[in-house]
Amino acid sequence: MVKRQSSFDKFLQFFGSLKFGLTLLGLLGVAVILGTVILQRPMAREGQIEQVYAPQTIRLLDALGLFDVFHASWFILLLGLLGASIALASLERFPQAWRYFSRPHALADEWFVRNLPIVREIPLHSRRSQEALSVVAREFQRQGLRARPRPLEKGTLYVEKHRMARLAPYVVHLSLLIIFAGAIVDAVWGYRGFISLGPGTRSRELEPLSADAAPRRLPFTLRCDGAGMEKYPDGSPKQYWSQLAVEEDGREVLTKRIHVNEPLTYKGVRFFQSSYGSTGKPAKLEIVANWSGQDRPSETVTLRPGDKVPLGDSGVQVELAAFVPDFVLDGNQLATRSDEPNNPAVQLRVTQPGGKESSVWFFPKFPRMNPPNDSLINFELRDIEMGYFTGLQVAKQPGNGLIWGGCLLLSFGLVLALYMVHIRIWGVVGKDTQGRPVVLLGGQPSKYRESFEVRFNQLVDQVENSLSSLEPAAVELERLSA
């Protein structure tokens, strides 16, 4: 009586089927392609997405989670379903493969060997039929194939090689499950962010890269001790660098100078050099003060934002009030075209000894535009040092170890599957169609039958030639003993 399958059994059978697994794999492939073709927020530059896509497209892609595919909930669900399907299919088919691996069919008879896909006969001298398999086993061993001793004692020559290849599909399946687990761990517990620091500043707050992600706080403080750019001889940028330090509990625990491909890693969090640029604010200005109508020498002073600097012993103090790095007139207002000091405009606050304050604007590249001022001091810009920031991408990937381990295991599984062939050879003493004693040798490979058949025939030919060379000696020994 045929047992009827329950609905749950049918569901499990469908869930672990090759058809369902390939469907999930195809969907996962489409998701990966979308994540490659569509700009991803974790990798895009600031404002790049807004430049490439229209606002309606951005809203749609954001709603579908396509700007951060590999952290989207539907992508995690897809990975989980594919992993469960692979696990179920493996569990269903593994017992049969394990029987091949753990309990090999070593004993055979003449009928079994004759029904193997590849069979050869080796004629024997009648007086050596009892020792035939032992002689053939020695010849096999000379060719690098060792026969199992216990089956040989029971009348069966059994040779086996690369039995581990039977488990290759399951090694590959296990490696994929480990990789999927690592990707899910990264998606759920990992994060990416951005942090911008200027020399001498510190922070532990991360800016999220995804629009709907909340800001994160590092478990330690990151300090920037310096940043810069190395240039080629022609002046073009070669690479950016940042000198970083990690502070924990008020003390410095790690320092490193990072480049684009040399991140700093601490407690599983990695900091990559991402960008470098001007803050649009000066770090210091070197200016020359010329007194109008007074017999006083010129004064050269260095101004830093927030500092008041005296002009010699005159009692006059100067401080920086405003700075426009690349000014352009927008109606009656000053605006800037960039953060680089291509065309600066400087506003100073001059305080006289009596406390009177004057506001002085001057334009270093267009001194004729300098408006008159009541401080009776004219200013010139001699040098400027801009403030710069370093942009760092931050990533925590707790599943990275699982992914790398899975990839190594996948490589091992592929080597087993593609380059290792499980071969088995049986041999028994039987009789040919005319009743003469022969050794029957039969072989069976797990794959690549044509290649195995060529190798098998070469091996049997070598064994047969070796036995033929022993035949005259055996006949002479028989004659002498008679």
Side-chain angles (χ1 to χ4, degrees):
M1 183 176 180
V2 180
K3 184 180 178 181
R4 295 184 62 185
Q5 285 186 318
S6 66
S7 299
F8 183 69
D9 290 336
K10 291 180 179 179
F11 169 76
L12 289 180
Q13 186 176 5
F14 170 74
F15 194 80
S17 65
L18 180 62
K19 181 179 180 181
F20 184 69
L22 290 177
T23 301
L24 290 175
L25 187 62
L27 292 175
L28 189 65
V30 171
V32 171
I33 292 173
L34 291 175
T36 305
V37 173
I38 299 173
L39 285 175
Q40 300 294 287
R41 290 194 186 277
M43 306 302 297
R45 299 188 305 272
E46 184 178 359
Q48 185 180 9
I49 289 178
E50 287 72 15
Q51 294 176 356
V52 174
Y53 301 106
Q56 300 88 339
T57 305
I58 291 177
R59 286 194 294 270
L60 176 61
L61 296 180
D62 257 331
L64 296 175
L66 294 177
F67 280 135
D68 195 2
V69 167
F70 305 108
H71 292 84
S73 56
W74 58 266
F75 185 81
I76 299 172
L77 177 62
L78 199 58
L79 282 178
L81 289 175
L82 182 57
S85 178
I86 291 175
L88 189 61
S90 298
L91 289 174
E92 182 182 353
R93 296 164 177 80
F94 182 73
Q96 182 178 358
W98 182 250
R99 282 195 295 270
Y100 271 109
F101 184 80
S102 61
R103 298 193 300 273
H105 182 77
L107 297 178
D109 55 19
E110 184 175 352
W111 179 87
F112 177 84
V113 175
R114 287 194 180 279
N115 283 278
L116 291 172
I118 304 172
V119 183
R120 286 281 300 273
E121 295 180 354
I122 301 178
L124 292 177
H125 190 273
S126 59
R127 295 293 300 275
R128 295 205 326 270
S129 58
Q130 301 300 322
E131 303 175 3
L133 292 182
S134 297
V135 174
V136 175
R138 287 195 296 270
E139 294 301 318
F140 266 63
Q141 189 164 356
R142 291 179 184 177
Q143 304 300 325
L145 296 173
R146 184 175 178 272
R148 299 288 181 89
R150 289 187 179 180
L152 192 61
E153 293 173 0
K154 296 181 180 182
T156 301
L157 173 77
Y158 180 66
V159 175
E160 185 181 27
K161 193 174 183 180
H162 298 152
R163 195 197 313 178
M164 189 69 182
R166 288 286 180 181
L167 300 181
Y170 305 98
V171 174
V172 173
H173 289 177
L174 178 61
S175 66
L176 291 176
L177 293 178
I178 294 174
I179 293 172
F180 292 166
I184 292 173
V185 168
D186 271 353
V188 176
W189 290 283
Y191 57 83
R192 289 178 177 269
F194 185 83
I195 189 169
S196 179
L197 293 173
T201 61
R202 53 175 54 84
S203 178
R204 60 191 310 173
E205 304 294 333
L206 293 185
E207 302 174 23
L209 297 180
S210 300
D212 56 347
R216 285 188 175 270
R217 187 175 175 85
L218 293 172
F220 49 85
T221 300
L222 185 69
R223 188 184 75 229
C224 177
D225 293 332
M229 177 177 61
E230 297 177 10
K231 297 182 179 181
Y232 288 105
D234 62 357
S236 59
K238 182 179 181 181
Q239 69 173 354
Y240 304 122
W241 60 267
S242 298
Q243 184 69 37
L244 303 178
V246 175
E247 297 177 345
E248 196 167 22
D249 299 327
R251 59 187 182 87
E252 183 181 293
V253 295
L254 178 65
T255 61
K256 184 177 182 180
R257 182 166 178 163
I258 70 168
H259 301 276
V260 173
N261 295 318
E262 296 181 20
L264 179 147
T265 304
Y266 184 70
K267 288 188 173 181
V269 183
R270 292 188 293 174
F271 299 89
F272 300 87
Q273 182 69 52
S274 174
S275 59
Y276 173 80
S278 171
T279 61
K281 300 177 182 179
K284 66 178 181 180
L285 301 174
E286 187 174 311
I287 62 173
V288 179
N290 298 304
W291 302 84
S292 299
Q294 299 184 38
D295 189 17
R296 296 181 63 90
S298 299
E299 296 279 349
T300 301
V301 295
T302 300
L303 290 179
R304 289 181 172 82
D307 291 347
K308 280 188 176 183
V309 179
L311 294 180
D313 58 358
S314 64
V316 177
Q317 292 183 323
V318 180
E319 63 180 315
L320 182 65
F323 180 84
V324 181
D326 192 8
F327 87 89
V328 62
L329 287 175
D330 184 10
N332 295 326
Q333 302 294 323
L334 285 179
T336 184
R337 288 173 293 195
S338 69
D339 290 332
E340 297 296 329
N342 299 321
N343 185 22
V346 184
Q347 183 188 22
L348 302 178
R349 185 177 294 110
V350 180
T351 305
Q352 302 293 341
K356 180 183 176 183
E357 292 186 352
S358 302
S359 178
V360 179
W361 278 95
F362 68 98
F363 305 91
K365 291 195 174 182
F366 300 95
R368 293 184 180 181
M369 292 179 57
N370 294 347
N373 67 83
D374 56 1
S375 68
L376 302 179
I377 305 174
N378 297 319
F379 295 94
E380 299 175 7
L381 180 64
R382 174 171 292 179
D383 193 17
I384 181 172
E385 181 179 315
M386 295 295 293
Y388 287 89
F389 73 92
T390 180
L392 307 171
Q393 276 205 14
V394 186
K396 184 175 183 181
Q397 298 170 299
N400 214 29
L402 286 173
I403 293 174
W404 278 109
C407 289
L408 291 176
L409 187 60
L410 177 62
S411 301
F412 174 67
L414 291 176
V415 169
L416 284 180
L418 298 177
Y419 300 103
M420 300 293 182
V421 181
H422 182 212
I423 61 172
R424 293 177 294 173
I425 299 176
W426 291 268
V428 295
V429 176
K431 294 183 178 181
D432 60 12
T433 55
Q434 299 178 6
R436 292 174 298 188
V438 293
V439 171
L440 289 174
L441 293 176
Q444 186 178 48
S446 60
K447 52 181 176 287
Y448 306 146
R449 175 175 170 173
E450 293 80 5
S451 299
F452 171 75
E453 188 170 1
V454 172
R455 172 61 180 150
F456 177 81
N457 287 327
Q458 291 174 348
L459 179 64
V460 175
D461 289 342
Q462 291 171 354
V463 172
E464 188 172 4
N465 291 335
S466 298
L467 290 177
S468 299
S469 64
L470 295 174
E471 195 72 23
V475 172
E476 181 65 20
L477 182 62
E478 180 181 355
R479 187 183 65 79
L480 292 174
S481 62

